[in-house]
């Protein structure tokens, strides 16, 4: 019974400490500020809404995409199903409860590992709580899917132990297979670590050589069965990666060395994550695992109570850990050779579990801690920390909050000294418990606050709830207005807004995507900044020509950081469908052409000679001088302003090309913000002396002004001579009306595609504004048709004259073969398991 209570406390204790940190940080539900930031703020609510309205092929995301890889990467955990009990405006409550529950599971499973095959020891609670509140957990908590690996790893380690010491592989098979299924990405890291941990246990076992060989075979065969049983997840996901995901380490020297990783000792100290001023640095990995574990692991290497063989194996694992943080090839190898953008050192949790286990095992052997040699070792370690970090402090004087860095460093040293002087297993005082738990609490508070500071503004939950209710009404009204036709919308109300509000969208904000969407949307305009658009998280940048082609009728813009303010733009000239007929005689020309102006002319057989022009402004400069490439301040003590005035002499469709200004001021170019991150107005648009948020249709006689602020903090502003793009309204309207005369009608969206009707007259090329994907199957009048890629990203096929029904169905490529392999592997494993058991019993 005592053990059960121990497990209950192991679950509850880390939750209580994390809740205290939330309380002191004014975090909801104990305060007003959301626990979420970064992807948890921008992506995850939309993913969970996508789970609620699950479709295999989802038109909410990026013109239509396979939802399965996103599901397997972010949502494939039974715990996520509890979201069905919540409304979208209550996502913060769900998210906080989900994180807290998983933190409790981490403490519970680690406590199970620590007490595995051991007599009940209540001191294991300290170490399981340390693991549950490690720097990795408390810094990456917002990546809720990462936490699954942290609470599953101790169970997998028990499974490995059972293979080595009991010759039983069932627990390893079940736990690792489940881990791969719910989150294959971190499961891959666990698989790598499992090999290290298996050989660590095998090396320290007393098994005979022949038995060790059998254990090696059993371990790797069981690991293979784990992967094969998960094939229905892995094969379709791997296919989607090959189709869309880029290798982000292509420009990295994989055999280089990150020198900063060598001096990462400071990252083991309290609050060390506060100094993560560049989250992409290897040495920024959150490796804090408490001063207590740090001391015990190092001292175990010098203890006479441990054998040389054991100490050697521990040291080898620690060296692998250090090298993994230092050598690029190993570092990126842990990350599937992908750049871990913004979330460095994602594999660190594996070594956290190992360090806690080693520290706990040594602690159980500890009787007295008065060895002078050990103290000298730690004193040298402390001096090393001070020397390294004092140097960094001097070099990096621009770092904000140096006093906090110094306080945390001093606190870490005080805690280390305390443990050195008073650590004793038999006399583990209440004050020691208090210091360990306080150390964890301080670190949690520091990590939560550095996460929130990353955004430069606080996200209030009540505001979010009100915003979601209001946005829902806006979207529903627009959907009702167009319920009898297929239209797309684009919104800046949220990233992946279409997933959140269940409408036909354009944006795609995720690490999992179809590269053809990028090719079509972002490279289609030869004037678009390729570097800006190549980012996998870039949302759609509106342009009237592309808006027309993809049927983007409604553009909803929220353009103020400080208040709720929404504008709705209705595009008059758009193709009112996801498919239209065009001339096929220019098919060879449009296959890989990135110039949208040329392509629209080719699609209409050059009948209209559509041309993008640029208006020249009348310039007014205030405290600014104009150079060839910049507007520079004259008096650097004062702000400046550039006013561009345009006199409209014809009816036109127009747009400002603002990319260069956005890029210079480090502003998200897709949010249409009026303010930069310091709260300053970047620009103002005046139409006939009335401020507007954007422009589209301009009439003859209009006066348009574009006022750009040049702040003294920036000194200058990038200059773009051709900034106002336009086409003549009469030419543009004729071209769009021509394409609208023969479109796919009566469109019905299904779970895995769509159905519609089509009347083909003269033109024979059907263009579907759906990203090209080999998993798509298209049937015309019930007959499967071949299709190809055109416009460098969407689907084209030739259709004969007449009236036709058309059906598009998405079949998850690799799912069928994956299911077959999974079922066969699952049955084979159990057959072999019972066969061996039967033979053994017989």
């Amino acid at each position: 019974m005592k053990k059960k209570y121990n497990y209950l406390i192991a679950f509850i204790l880390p939750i209580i400490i994390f809740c205290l940190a939330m309380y002191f940080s004014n975090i909801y539900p104990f305060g007003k500020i959301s626990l979420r930031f970064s992807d948890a703020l921008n992506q995850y609510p939309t993913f969970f809404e996508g789970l609620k309205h699950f479709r295999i092929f989802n038109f909410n995301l990026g013109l239509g995409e396979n939802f399965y890889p996103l599901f397997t990467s972010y949502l494939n955990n039974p715990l996520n199903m509890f979201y069905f009990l919540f409304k979208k405006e209550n996502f913060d409550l769900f998210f906080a409860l989900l994180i807290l529950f998983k933190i409790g599971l981490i403490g519970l499973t680690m406590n199970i590992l620590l007490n595995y095959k051991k007599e009940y020891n209540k001191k294991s609670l300290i170490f399981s709580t340390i693991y549950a509140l490690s720097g990795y957990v408390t810094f990456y908590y917002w990546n809720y899917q990462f936490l699954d690996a942290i609470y599953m790893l101790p169970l997998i380690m028990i499974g490995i132990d059972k293979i080595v010491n009991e010759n039983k592989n069932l627990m390893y098979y079940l736990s690792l297979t489940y881990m791969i299924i719910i989150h294959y990405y971190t499961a891959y890291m666990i698989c790598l670590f499992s090999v290290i941990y298996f050989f660590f246990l095998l090396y320290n076992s007393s098994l005979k050589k022949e038995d060790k060989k059998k254990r090696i075979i059993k371990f790797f065969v069981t690991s293979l069965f784990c992967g094969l049983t998960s094939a229905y997840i892995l094969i379709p996901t791997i296919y989607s990666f090959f189709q869309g995901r880029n290798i982000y380490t292509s420009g990295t020297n994989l055999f280089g060395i990150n020198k900063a990783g060598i001096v990462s000792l400071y990252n083991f100290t309290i609050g060390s994550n506060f100094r993560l001023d560049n989250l992409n640095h290897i040495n920024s990995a959150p490796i804090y695992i408490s001063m207590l574990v740090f001391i015990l692991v190092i001292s175990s290497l010098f203890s006479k109570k441990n054998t040389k063989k054991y100490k050697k194996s521990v040291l080898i694992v620690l060296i692998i850990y250090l090298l993994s943080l230092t050598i690029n090839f190993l570092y990126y190898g842990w990350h599937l050779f992908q750049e871990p953008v913004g979330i460095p050192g994602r594999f660190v949790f594996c070594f956290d579990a190992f360090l806690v286990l080693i520290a706990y095992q040594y602690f159980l052997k500890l009787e007295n801690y008065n060895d002078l040699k050990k103290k000298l070792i730690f004193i040298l370690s402390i001096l090393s920390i001070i020397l390294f970090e004092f140097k960094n402090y001097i070099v990096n004087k621009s770092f904000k909050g140096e006093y906090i860095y110094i306080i945390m460093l001093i606190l870490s040293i005080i805690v280390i000294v305390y443990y050195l002087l008073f650590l004793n297993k038999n006399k583990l005082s209440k004050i020691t418990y208090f210091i360990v738990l306080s150390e964890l609490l301080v670190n949690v508070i520091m990590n939560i606050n550095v996460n929130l500071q990353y955004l430069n503004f606080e996200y209030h939950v009540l505001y979010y709830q009100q915003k979601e209710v209001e946005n829902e009404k806006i979207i529903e009204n627009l959907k009702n207005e167009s319920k009898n036709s297929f239209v797309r919308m684009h919104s800046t109300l949220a990233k992946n807004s279409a997933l959140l509000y269940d409408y036909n969208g354009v944006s795609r904000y995720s690490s999992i995507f179809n590269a053809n969407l990028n090719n079509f949307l972002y490279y289609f305009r030869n004037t678009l900044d390729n570097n800006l658009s190549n980012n996998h998280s870039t949302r759609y940048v509106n342009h009237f020509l592309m808006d027309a082609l993809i049927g983007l009728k409604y553009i909803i813009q929220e353009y103020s950081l400080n208040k709720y303010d929404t504008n709705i733009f209705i595009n008059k000239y758009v193709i009112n469908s996801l498919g239209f007929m065009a001339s096929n005689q220019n098919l060879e020309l449009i296959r890989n052409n990135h110039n949208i102006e040329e392509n629209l002319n080719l699609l209409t057989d050059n009948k209209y000679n559509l041309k993008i022009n640029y208006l020249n402004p009348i310039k007014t400069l205030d405290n600014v001088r104009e150079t060839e490439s910049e507007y520079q301040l004259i008096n650097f003590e004062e702000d400046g302003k550039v006013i561009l005035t345009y006199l409209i002499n014809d009816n036109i469709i127009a747009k400002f090309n603002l990319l260069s200004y956005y890029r210079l001021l480090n502003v998200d170019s897709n949010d249409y913000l009026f303010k930069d991150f310091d709260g300053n107005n970047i620009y103002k648009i005046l139409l006939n002396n009335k401020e507007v948020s954007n422009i589209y249709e301009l009439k003859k006689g209009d006066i348009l002004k574009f006022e750009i602020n040049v702040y003294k903090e920036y000194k200058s502003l990038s200059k773009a001579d051709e900034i106002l793009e336009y086409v003549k309204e009469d030419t543009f309207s004729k071209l769009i009306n021509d394409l609208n005369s023969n479109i796919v009608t009566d469109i019905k969206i299904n779970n895995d595609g769509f159905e519609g009707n089509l009347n083909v007259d003269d033109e024979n090329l059907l263009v579907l504004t759906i990203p090209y994907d080999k998993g798509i199957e298209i049937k015309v009048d019930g007959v499967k048709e071949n299709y190809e890629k055109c416009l460098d990203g969407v689907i084209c096929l030739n259709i004969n004259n007449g009236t036709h029904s058309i059906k598009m169905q998405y079949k998850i490529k690799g799912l069928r073969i994956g299911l077959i392999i999974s079922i066969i592997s699952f049955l084979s494993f159990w057959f072999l398991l019972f066969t061996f058991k039967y033979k053994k019993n017989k």
Side-chain angles (χ1 to χ4, degrees), residues 61-187:
L61 200 63
L63 301 183
E65 285 195 21
N66 172 18
F67 193 76
Y68 192 74
L70 193 148
F71 169 76
T72 60
S73 299
Y74 292 94
L75 302 166
N76 193 22
N77 185 326
L79 292 176
N80 296 336
M81 299 301 146
F82 285 105
Y83 181 65
F84 285 79
L85 303 176
F86 294 81
K87 295 180 180 180
K88 65 168 66 74
E89 58 265 29
N90 295 322
F91 184 83
D92 276 286
L93 177 60
F94 162 76
F95 189 77
L97 293 175
L98 182 67
I99 297 304
L100 290 171
F101 184 75
K102 289 188 177 184
I103 286 174
L105 285 179
I106 296 169
L108 172 62
T109 59
M110 175 51 75
N111 200 263
I112 293 172
L113 171 63
L114 297 179
N115 286 289
Y116 170 63
K117 291 200 311 182
K118 302 286 184 183
E119 294 182 4
Y120 162 70
N121 191 320
K122 64 180 181 180
K123 296 182 178 65
S124 63
L125 288 170
I126 287 291
F127 292 88
S128 61
T129 303
I130 287 172
Y131 179 66
L133 297 175
S134 66
Y136 187 96
V137 173
T138 58
F139 197 63
Y140 289 161
Y141 62 83
W142 48 277
N143 274 295
Y144 65 96
Q145 71 276 22
F146 283 14
L147 301 184
D148 298 330
I150 307 174
Y151 66 72
M152 285 303 301
L153 179 57
L155 302 181
I156 294 169
M157 292 170 71
I158 293 174
I160 296 172
D161 196 293
K162 283 181 175 290
I163 291 178
V164 174
N165 295 312
E166 301 177 36
N167 198 25
K168 296 178 181 179
N169 62 348
L170 179 59
M171 185 168 183
Y172 177 65
Y173 170 77
L174 293 176
S175 56
L176 182 59
T177 300
Y178 179 75
M179 184 63 242
I180 296 173
I181 289 172
I182 64 172
H183 198 235
Y184 62 88
Y185 178 62
T186 46

Side-chain angles (χ1 to χ4, degrees), residues 629-631 661 664-665 708-710 715-719:
S629 60
E630 289 183 328
Y631 295 114
Y661 295 108
L664 180 72
L665 298 179
I708 313 163
N709 292 310
V710 185
K715 306 297 183 185
S716 63
L717 191 69
S718 174
K719 176 183 174 184

Side-chain angles (χ1 to χ4, degrees), residues 32 59 174 206 348 427 466 516 556 581 617 643 659 664 713 757 763:
K32 297 180 180 179
F59 280 98
L174 293 176
S206 58
V348 165
K427 297 180 181 179
Q466 177 190 0
N516 290 306
I556 310 162
M581 300 305 300
I643 302 175
L659 294 177
L664 180 72
E713 292 86 353
N757 298 313
E763 310 294 357

Side-chain angles (χ1 to χ4, degrees), residues 780-795:
V780 178
D781 300 327
V783 179
K784 185 177 178 180
E785 297 286 344
N786 294 324
Y787 58 89
E788 56 184 303
K789 182 167 66 172
C790 67
L791 303 178
D792 202 21
V794 295
I795 293 172

